[in-house]
Amino acid sequence: DFDSNQNVPNIKEYIVMQRGATDKNIWSRINQWHHIDTINDILEFLQKTQIDFLAPAVGTVHGYFTGNSNIEYELIRKLPFTKYNFVLHGCTGLEDRILNKLSKYGFSKFNFATTLRKIYRNSLLTSLNDNIEHVKPYILSNPAKDALVKHMVNIINILNK
């Protein structure tokens, strides 16, 4: 369980040591050390640490999401979106309808790193194979950048439905 008397001073010290790092990155490290899974723990943590962003565990997973989702909508409904910024980790592979539903709650940031890396890699490999004569990185990488833009436009449209 989360013990704020023991953990918050250590967390604040860690944040000071990580000057220049974003709170999101700091939270990722903190989350490895402490189990904060109830709404009361989350609210206490936010109040005492005053971090800028928090990525609570709400049932999404890092990597490519497969299988049935187990999103904790009850917990999400209790998050104070008007007072704090929340990040949704693990968006890769979520169904469009679930992603759209989650966007309505007020998350400040959605993470799609696995999808973006896969799109970039696959597009770059295709470009390398199709353009054997080119050696200029900006020519070879343009199709990958275009594919990323196309995908993000699609994601923005899903989130704004």
Side-chain angles (χ1 to χ4, degrees), residues 71-84:
I71 309 297
E72 296 184 39
Y73 290 104
E74 186 178 327
L75 174 62
I76 292 170
R77 282 190 283 278
K78 294 176 184 175
L79 295 174
F81 286 103
T82 57
K83 189 171 180 181
Y84 298 102

Side-chain angles (χ1 to χ4, degrees), residues 10-126:
N10 295 336
I11 291 166
K12 284 186 173 185
E13 181 180 337
Y14 182 76
I15 290 171
V16 169
M17 290 177 1
Q18 296 297 314
R19 276 178 260 224
T22 66
D23 284 348
K24 184 188 82 63
N25 291 335
I26 292 168
W27 168 247
S28 294
R29 298 270 177 124
I30 291 167
N31 195 29
Q32 294 170 11
W33 305 331
H34 307 287
H35 193 61
I36 303 173
D37 61 354
T38 68
I39 190 63
N40 291 335
D41 289 345
I42 290 169
L43 295 174
E44 182 180 5
F45 180 83
L46 287 166
Q47 179 190 29
K48 290 186 175 181
T49 61
Q50 299 178 358
I51 62 170
D52 296 325
F53 290 88
L54 179 68
V58 295
T60 56
V61 295
H62 285 235
Y64 204 86
F65 194 89
T66 59
N68 296 325
S69 61
N70 190 19
I71 309 297
E72 296 184 39
Y73 290 104
E74 186 178 327
L75 174 62
I76 292 170
R77 282 190 283 278
K78 294 176 184 175
L79 295 174
F81 286 103
T82 57
K83 189 171 180 181
Y84 298 102
N85 295 305
F86 293 95
V87 177
L88 186 62
H89 280 200
C91 295
T92 295
L94 285 176
E95 295 175 32
D96 291 356
R97 66 177 179 77
I98 293 173
L99 197 54
N100 177 263
K101 182 176 181 178
L102 289 168
S103 73
K104 304 301 182 215
Y105 286 99
F107 285 95
S108 301
K109 185 173 182 282
F110 295 80
N111 286 7
F112 296 92
T114 302
T115 296
L116 298 178
R117 289 180 189 129
K118 186 175 182 180
I119 289 170
Y120 188 87
R121 178 187 175 276
N122 291 344
S123 298
L124 183 59
L125 287 173
T126 299

